[in-house]
Amino acid sequence: MPEPLKASFWNTKYLTNDFGWDIGYPSPPITEYIDQLQDKSISILIPGCGNGYEAEYLWKSGFKNVHVLDYSEIALENFRLRVPEFPIEQIHIEDFFTHTGQYSIIFEQTFFCALEPSLRLAYAIKVKNLLKPGGKLVGLLFNEALHADRPPYGGSSLEYLGYFQPHFNNVYMKNCFNSIQPRMGRELFVIFS
Ligand SMILES: C[S@@+](CC[C@H](N)C(=O)[O-])C[C@H]1O[C@@H](n2cnc3c(N)ncnc32)[C@H](O)[C@@H]1O
């Protein structure tokens, strides 16, 4: 069983530019989803947001009730410097599992796969507790084995069903058709409400 990962593990990666997961721009499947949202006043959380490109996209698209969360202060400092007008009280330097709040949408992008698999059920329950009635988790989950001993940890739709189905009324998972090229055919687009 690997050691639980700490903020220092991720801080080191950001400081040494060792962040292969970071695509450098907002993820197209997520921006396409965002582009069809009508109500820009909804509360949105992006946990494990890293450099936060999707949050920047939301903010610049007029969504003002957007919250970013990461326990790496380096990642969030990068975000703050890039988007200085983003409200400081909506930037949470915090462990996801201790965060409190109520959101209409929680976006997922390479955060779930960064957590030890032993935390997956806890993630599903935490997401449920952070969602308002009718709220949704929306985003991307890898659909392949990847690593067993370090992030990114992989998985399959069958495994994910086991965590989410008991806690959500609707569990939508489909092969993602608009992934970035290196992830094409390797991820699921999910909406759990
Ligand atoms: C693989 S990176 C993904 C970052 C971003 N979502 C992206 O796609 O570029 C995982 C991120 O989750 C953060 N993280 C991991 N475990 C966390 C936890 N328990 N609470 C808050 N953030 C966490 C790390 O600091 C890191 O920034």
Side-chain angles (χ1 to χ4, degrees), residues 5-7 9-11 14 19 21-24 27 46-54 69-73 75 92-97 108-116 119 151-152 183:
L5 296 172
K6 305 210 166 60
F9 170 88
W10 296 100
N11 277 331
Y14 286 109
F19 42 72
W21 66 81
D22 184 309
I23 64 175
S27 176
I46 310 188
C49 64
N51 281 320
Y53 306 108
E54 291 77 23
L69 181 148
D70 202 295
Y71 66 11
S72 163
E73 66 272 20
H92 306 274
I93 306 175
E94 191 183 359
D95 189 318
F96 171 66
F97 293 99
E108 166 55 50
Q109 148 104 338
T110 69
F111 174 46
F112 180 84
C113 70
L115 298 169
E116 290 86 1
L119 293 173
R183 296 182 188 168

Side-chain angles (χ1 to χ4, degrees), residues 4 51 70 83 93-94 98 107 118-119 150 155-156 179:
N51 281 320
D70 202 295
V83 196
I93 306 175
E94 191 183 359
T98 62
F107 281 111
S118 59
L119 293 173
R150 65 192 153 92
S156 65
S179 296

Side-chain angles (χ1 to χ4, degrees), residues 2 117 145-154:
L146 298 171
H147 305 295
D149 59 346
R150 65 192 153 92
Y153 298 99

